[in-house]
Amino acid sequence: MKIRIITIILSLLPIISIAENIKGKVIEKQKTGEVIPLAGASIFWKNTTIGTATNADGVFKLNSTSKSNTLVVQFVGYETKEIAVKQRNKNEIIVEMSPNIALNEIVISKRKLGTVLDRNSPIQSQSITGAELCKAACCNLSESFETNASVDVSYADAATGAKSIKLLGLTGKYIEMMTEKNPNFKGLASVYGMVYVPGPWMESIQVSKGVGSVINGYESITGQINIEYQKPQRSPKFYANIFANSMGMSEANIITSAKLSPKLSTSILAHAQDNDKEIDHNHDHFLDDPMVKQYNFINRWNWDASQFFKVQFGGKFIDEERIGGQKGFNENEANNIDNAYRINIDTRRYEAFAKFGYIFPEDDDKSIALITNFASHEQNSFYGLRNYNAEQKYFYANLLFQSYIGNLKHKYTTGLSFVYDDFKDYLSGDNLGTNRTEKVAGAYIEYTWLPNENITLQTGLRYDTHNIYDNFVTPRIHFRYQFAPKSTMRLAAGSGRRTSNPIAENSFLLASNRSFDISDNLKQEKAWNFGFSLTQYFDLFEKGFTLSADFYRTSFDNQVVTDLDYSVNSVRFYNLDGKSWANNYQVELKFEPIERFNVTTAIRFSDVKADIDNEFKKVPYVNRYKGLINLSYATNFNKWQFDFTTQFNGDMRIPSTQENPSEFQRREESPAYAIMNAQVTKRFRIWELYLGAENIGNYTQENPIISANNPFGEHFDASMIWGPIQERKFYLGVRLTIE
């Protein structure tokens, strides 16, 4: 089978043909003479829909076309420029932009886009910009998808504050989470990693569906989420965000940057969060929201050693204490059944990263880069009378070379990667633990064919040798075809693998009486993902609309099943013996009915089934459907902004509790419900004030904790969560920016 797949992929590599590309850079030259690259500027051929955007260094590359010889360059707050391109050569076009300034230096500009679809990538992906992140509270990454139709985030239990993320109907462990192309939040960080990324720190988030690029590894199965932090060379001199909500949580974020020389810049990102109030609105004697103290710090550097050699490096530190459980815990007494039930999770995490990039002077389409990342994660915790302690050391390195064959219609990236993952954990009471060291060396090649501006074919193949799971091959293919001026289709297929860490990835289930039953010698998970998407741009009533529809299917060969159906007193983990699939359908429509009023609507259906407890049935805790309506209006000059979001959540299957006495039994299918959030933002010259409300309708799951009055008893379970567990809450925040 593998040989047949490889043969098919190689047969798709076309014969080399002649190509011509336009390369350039968009900049602003300040009065001091300093040159600032403009990232995210739009470049397109005049009177066509063929275009692209500049990258983080202000650089763009665009296929030539016979339809036009005039480039249009646009950027918010700058005058639009048109460049006549008369000769097709490899000389870089330098486009110097001028601020669009009226009297008294008032910048008149259009509203920034919130979510941007990548029109040219063969992989279906979208970028969530800073403008979109500011539409909601966005205290951390887990709250960044409230206005996104593709990604679901919800509470995993009613005691710890753990968040569960889903994409294409499957949990977050099948998503490859990355920070600036570094695979991250694995193992011990898989449950709480999203709260380790403060919202104000993020420059943007890239979300792609389906199998990703082989360049980033073999673990992407349902998609990739990549976080771009604020960069030293582009960060404001000083930024502050102060936030508080009605649940007693307050936090502060500070970003400061300094340009030590024209080539060297640095920034510090600091975050502090504090919530020490025991709040119990539903009077079940359990905290509605865990008490959390978190200190988070990054220092990062950017060094442009020369025009061709660039370096980024930095370090990160996280210290968090998370306390949940019953009110009235006495810290001066022993942790036993005579004291209140308490959950305490103490985490320390250290990270260091470095990137080295070199562009060949004789040809800037050839480059070599090294990406490295190291993380050390320690967690000491107890859930009632059970202790769970773990530590993980993770190292990642990726050396890649980018070039082309003959001309720029035939590009390729090839490289070597290495992963070292030392993972240890131990769960008392159940007497279970892991002591595993993974060493994975890999090699890959990815080829991209661009015969014209309408077609992109990307094929990838990687080979990895694993010290535990032997050797394996990962093939992937992506195809983009713009079959009409405003119509684009994409196809994708490929496989992915991952190593399961059952206790760490399901630690929120420890907030229950369930014992953990883990089969010996669990095999590595393997899955195939196939996807189709269609994007259509059209005009109606002289207004522009964007319609996108997609279908993705994930099929597992060897899944690690989390079986909550076998017994109410246990959770079993074993390799799949039978079938498991996830089918996901989504339609999304974006339009602007009037100027500065953006509307996003979406509907998604999920069919996720697997052989669980010798029966082929729906996987629990997956909504059958989800709808989204997001309305956003800004007044002239963006002085006021109003945002409103409604999420419609369909029914889902819930594991049976029929074994329990009648008073501890729960429904086996959740009802459909809607959640409404709103925010108002007032902007001033250098600061802005925002006020919002979440769960406006005050809809909550009734009695979310089973046997809350006897948490040390056999029926206690705080993990059976299908809906909101927090009542309506309000928040207030202030942002200050000094450029």
Side-chain angles (χ1 to χ4, degrees):
M1 181 66 181
K2 292 179 180 177
I3 296 175
R4 189 175 299 173
I5 293 170
I6 296 170
T7 303
I8 293 172
I9 292 174
L10 294 178
S11 68
L12 292 172
L13 305 184
I15 300 173
I16 297 174
S17 60
I18 299 174
E20 293 173 326
N21 266 36
I22 302 300
K23 302 177 299 178
K25 189 172 185 179
V26 181
I27 63 170
E28 178 194 357
K29 187 176 288 186
Q30 298 186 339
K31 294 179 181 180
T32 60
E34 183 180 4
V35 174
I36 305 296
L38 298 180
S42 297
I43 298 95
F44 59 92
W45 291 108
K46 189 174 182 179
N47 298 323
T48 76
T49 59
I50 304 166
T52 186
T54 56
N55 63 15
D57 299 315
V59 175
F60 69 89
K61 296 177 184 178
L62 185 63
N63 290 338
S64 59
T65 178
S66 59
K67 299 177 182 178
S68 176
N69 62 356
T70 301
L71 279 178
V72 180
V73 184
Q74 294 179 338
F75 193 68
V76 174
Y78 292 79
E79 294 179 353
T80 298
K81 282 203 169 185
E82 294 187 1
I83 309 296
V85 182
K86 297 180 179 179
Q87 291 183 340
R88 308 286 197 257
N89 55 44
K90 295 180 71 66
N91 295 329
E92 185 177 68
I93 298 173
I94 304 297
V95 183
E96 185 177 337
M97 302 292 282
S98 302
N100 184 6
I101 301 176
L103 294 176
N104 299 324
E105 297 188 349
I106 298 175
V107 178
I108 303 174
S109 63
K110 283 191 174 182
R111 188 181 179 188
K112 294 182 179 179
L113 293 175
T115 302
V116 181
L117 295 174
D118 193 331
R119 297 193 181 195
N120 296 319
S121 173
I123 302 175
Q124 186 187 11
S125 60
Q126 57 181 241
S127 178
I128 303 172
T129 68
E132 186 74 14
L133 296 175
C134 289
K135 288 183 178 182
C138 190
C139 297
N140 52 62
L141 178 62
S142 70
E143 298 180 349
S144 302
F145 304 103
E146 290 184 359
T147 61
N148 188 276
S150 300
V151 182
D152 290 334
V153 179
S154 59
Y155 280 97
D157 67 83
T160 68
K163 296 291 185 71
S164 172
I165 185 173
K166 292 184 179 69
L167 180 63
L168 304 187
L170 292 169
T171 59
K173 60 188 178 182
Y174 299 113
I175 308 170
E176 186 170 32
M177 303 292 295
M178 299 184 293
T179 54
E180 300 185 341
K181 301 302 182 182
N182 271 310
N184 215 330
F185 306 142
K186 300 159 60 70
L188 289 178
S190 60
V191 173
Y192 299 103
M194 290 188 295
V195 302
Y196 299 157
V197 184
W201 287 11
M202 294 183 287
E203 184 179 77
S204 64
I205 306 170
Q206 288 78 46
V207 179
S208 62
K209 292 184 178 181
V211 289
S213 168
V214 295
I215 295 173
N216 300 314
Y218 55 81
E219 291 185 307
S220 171
I221 293 176
T222 62
Q224 295 178 325
I225 296 179
N226 179 60
I227 304 148
E228 292 290 333
Y229 287 118
Q230 298 284 349
K231 306 293 191 297
Q233 63 272 33
R234 295 196 297 273
S235 297
K237 287 185 178 180
F238 181 81
Y239 172 89
N241 179 27
I242 310 299
F243 174 92
N245 68 22
S246 56
M247 294 293 290
M249 192 270 278
S250 60
E251 69 170 46
N253 296 277
I254 292 176
I255 301 174
T256 180
S257 64
K259 294 184 178 180
L260 306 180
S261 73
K263 295 184 177 181
L264 183 64
S265 57
T266 184
S267 64
I268 293 175
L269 294 79
H271 167 86
Q273 175 185 342
D274 183 39
N275 181 6
D276 60 357
K277 292 182 172 57
E278 293 189 335
I279 296 178
D280 177 25
H281 286 155
N282 63 354
H283 308 295
D284 63 357
H285 301 293
F286 269 76
L287 305 184
D288 294 343
D289 206 20
M291 298 184 293
V292 178
K293 286 187 178 180
Q294 184 189 113
Y295 303 98
N296 205 332
F297 176 88
I298 291 181
N299 178 217
R300 58 180 305 162
W301 296 76
N302 183 81
W303 178 37
D304 295 331
S306 69
Q307 182 181 352
F308 308 104
F309 183 57
K310 301 180 184 298
V311 179
Q312 295 181 31
F313 61 93
K316 182 177 181 180
F317 168 71
I318 300 170
D319 186 355
E320 182 187 83
E321 183 180 27
R322 181 175 295 266
I323 298 174
Q326 286 183 308
K327 297 174 62 178
F329 181 80
N330 191 337
E331 296 182 359
N332 297 320
E333 295 183 3
N335 180 29
N336 54 39
I337 60 175
D338 296 322
N339 206 342
Y341 181 93
R342 179 55 56 100
I343 296 174
N344 188 295
I345 304 168
D346 194 5
T347 301
R348 283 179 177 80
R349 182 179 175 90
Y350 306 85
E351 292 184 38
F353 65 90
K355 294 182 179 182
F356 307 88
Y358 178 74
I359 301 172
F360 287 77
E362 67 278 5
D363 190 342
D364 60 8
D365 286 303
K366 293 182 179 180
S367 62
I368 188 169
L370 175 64
I371 302 173
T372 62
N373 184 51
F374 172 78
S376 175
H377 191 120
E378 298 178 4
Q379 177 180 317
N380 296 301
S381 57
F382 63 85
Y383 299 74
L385 303 182
R386 287 194 286 187
N387 294 327
Y388 177 60
N389 299 319
E391 60 178 326
Q392 181 179 17
K393 289 181 172 55
Y394 177 83
F395 174 75
Y396 169 82
N398 188 9
L399 177 66
L400 60 155
F401 173 71
Q402 294 180 327
S403 186
Y404 56 92
I405 305 172
N407 54 66
L408 295 178
K409 290 189 177 181
H410 301 274
K411 301 178 181 180
Y412 69 90
T413 302
T414 186
L416 303 170
S417 65
F418 178 74
V419 172
Y420 174 88
D421 189 0
D422 183 51
F423 185 91
K424 298 181 179 66
D425 68 353
Y426 179 73
L427 177 62
S428 69
D430 300 69
N431 194 27
L432 292 172
T434 305
N435 188 351
R436 182 188 65 240
T437 300
E438 291 183 85
K439 300 175 184 178
V440 190
Y444 58 85
I445 183 168
E446 185 174 80
Y447 167 80
T448 304
W449 179 45
L450 299 153
N452 54 53
E453 64 268 17
N454 298 324
I455 295 176
T456 306
L457 173 66
Q458 185 181 89
T459 59
L461 190 68
R462 66 175 296 128
Y463 175 84
D464 290 273
T465 176
H466 199 292
N467 65 315
I468 299 174
Y469 301 108
D470 298 325
N471 309 323
F472 50 87
V473 175
T474 307
R476 291 175 183 173
I477 183 169
H478 300 88
F479 177 69
R480 166 190 166 272
Y481 177 41
Q482 185 176 326
F483 58 89
K486 294 184 178 182
S487 305
T488 303
M489 61 166 285
R490 291 177 174 86
L491 298 171
S495 68
R497 293 173 179 257
R498 65 176 301 275
T499 301
S500 176
N501 295 295
I503 305 176
E505 294 165 358
N506 298 275
S507 59
F508 55 88
L509 293 175
L510 294 172
S512 70
N513 75 317
R514 293 179 183 268
S515 62
F516 277 49
D517 181 2
I518 305 174
S519 297
D520 295 332
N521 302 316
L522 287 176
K523 298 177 182 178
Q524 196 176 37
E525 294 186 272
K526 181 182 178 182
W528 287 87
N529 183 278
F530 307 90
F532 168 80
S533 67
L534 178 66
T535 305
Q536 177 69 50
Y537 303 93
F538 62 94
D539 295 325
L540 186 64
F541 307 118
E542 299 183 350
K543 301 296 181 181
F545 288 72
T546 301
L547 176 67
S548 59
D550 59 61
F551 166 73
Y552 285 88
R553 177 182 175 89
T554 308
S555 178
F556 286 89
D557 288 346
N558 197 28
Q559 187 179 24
V560 174
V561 177
T562 303
D563 186 351
L564 296 167
D565 292 281
Y566 180 75
S567 169
V568 294
N569 300 120
S570 68
V571 52
R572 300 171 66 213
F573 301 93
Y574 50 84
N575 283 114
L576 177 73
D577 182 14
K579 299 178 295 183
S580 176
W581 74 55
N583 296 328
N584 196 86
Y585 314 78
Q586 180 171 310
V587 179
E588 183 173 355
L589 179 66
K590 293 175 176 285
F591 58 100
E592 189 176 359
I594 61 175
E595 189 175 0
R596 299 184 306 276
F597 181 43
N598 296 323
V599 178
T600 299
T601 63
I603 184 71
R604 186 183 70 241
F605 295 92
S606 298
D607 176 27
V608 185
K609 294 180 180 178
D611 277 301
I612 303 173
D613 192 26
N614 298 317
E615 182 181 346
F616 190 64
K617 62 179 73 172
K618 290 181 179 180
V619 172
Y621 302 118
V622 178
N623 292 106
R624 187 167 56 90
Y625 65 88
K626 178 182 177 180
L628 175 77
I629 298 176
N630 175 248
L631 310 175
S632 182
Y633 176 73
T635 62
N636 202 14
F637 305 110
N638 290 331
K639 288 185 177 180
W640 287 89
Q641 181 170 325
F642 305 88
D643 295 285
F644 178 82
T645 302
T646 301
Q647 297 179 359
F648 304 93
N649 298 274
D651 55 278
M652 65 172 68
R653 186 178 78 82
I654 303 169
S656 175
T657 54
Q658 294 304 308
E659 293 180 35
N660 284 337
S662 58
E663 65 268 28
F664 300 131
Q665 293 179 8
R666 294 293 187 267
R667 61 197 311 158
E668 297 187 12
E669 186 175 278
S670 72
Y673 63 92
I675 295 293
M676 294 177 288
N677 303 321
Q679 178 178 286
V680 178
T681 305
K682 172 64 172 127
R683 295 187 175 93
F684 301 89
R685 190 170 65 87
I686 63 172
W687 64 283
E688 57 189 66
L689 180 71
Y690 58 99
L691 171 68
E694 297 179 330
N695 193 9
I696 295 174
N698 203 31
Y699 182 87
T700 57
Q701 178 179 339
E702 187 178 1
N703 299 322
I705 300 177
I706 300 176
S707 188
N709 62 340
N710 185 20
F712 296 104
E714 62 175 324
H715 305 300
F716 168 70
D717 196 337
S719 67
M720 301 192 70
I721 302 302
W722 52 260
I725 58 174
Q726 292 188 353
E727 297 179 348
R728 181 194 303 115
K729 63 180 178 182
F730 301 92
Y731 61 86
L732 176 68
V734 179
R735 303 185 186 103
L736 172 67
T737 305
I738 300 176
E739 297 292 349

